Amino acid sequence: MRRVLRRSLRHWRSNESGAVAVEFAIIAPLLFAMLFGIVVVGYAMALSHSVNQLAGSAARASVAGLTQGERRDLAQAYLDEAATHYPLLVQDAIRPTLTLSQTGDADITVAIAYDLDGSMLSLANGFLGLDMSVLRSEAYLAY
């Protein structure tokens, strides 16, 4: 009886046919979590860059205007078609604020608040606890 038991234990000890599957099952969740994190961080950086560029480009688009009203209209027109220039941005999530100086200095400040609800980052907020709901950017241009 002992011989049979020893033989069977030796057989199981030397048999490694399922070891790779078990190792993958142990490591796979960590690898997929890291992959998800890399994608989320990349997406967040791309959105942040797009919002920053949108604010700066809207301010620069207003340069062609001769009056404050024309400058406001040009900047607003650029913001209204932001989704065509920046494919990661959803037009309905963009909340711009244009501020033109009322004093003698001619300048414009374009502030953008981008709502993250419904994006991949709002999903990651639940998993990672990032507490991000809005991306903000501002651009100032003196004429």
Side-chain angles (χ1 to χ4, degrees), residues 64-79:
L66 298 177
T67 65
Q68 295 284 55
E70 282 181 4
R71 291 173 179 158
R72 176 181 297 279
D73 292 344
L74 286 170
Q76 188 61 50
Y78 188 85
L79 291 168

Side-chain angles (χ1 to χ4, degrees), residues 7 31 38 78 108 110 117 119 125:
R7 246 188 245 153
L31 292 175
I38 290 168
Y78 188 85
I108 186 170
V110 179
D117 288 340
S119 71
N125 279 335

Side-chain angles (χ1 to χ4, degrees), residues 5-127:
L5 185 59
R6 282 185 189 172
R7 246 188 245 153
S8 115
L9 286 176
R10 278 189 210 136
H11 174 71
W12 284 106
R13 206 174 357 174
S14 65
N15 188 359
E16 296 181 10
S17 62
V20 173
V22 171
E23 290 169 358
F24 180 74
I26 292 170
I27 295 177
L30 177 64
L31 292 175
F32 289 128
M34 286 176 57
L35 179 66
F36 179 70
I38 290 168
V39 169
V40 167
V41 168
Y43 183 70
M45 289 175 65
L47 274 182
S48 177
H49 179 72
S50 293
V51 171
N52 286 334
Q53 288 294 100
L54 175 63
S57 295
R60 284 189 297 275
S62 69
V63 170
L66 298 177
T67 65
Q68 295 284 55
E70 282 181 4
R71 291 173 179 158
R72 176 181 297 279
D73 292 344
L74 286 170
Q76 188 61 50
Y78 188 85
L79 291 168
D80 289 342
E81 57 186 38
T84 60
H85 300 291
Y86 303 95
L88 286 180
L89 300 181
V90 177
Q91 189 68 41
D92 296 336
I94 299 169
R95 290 179 285 147
T97 305
L98 299 173
T99 307
L100 291 139
S101 69
Q102 302 302 322
T103 63
D105 298 334
D107 61 0
I108 186 170
T109 302
V110 179
I112 306 287
Y114 186 77
D115 189 19
L116 296 174
D117 288 340
S119 71
M120 185 170 63
L121 285 180
S122 66
L123 174 68
N125 279 335
F127 287 118

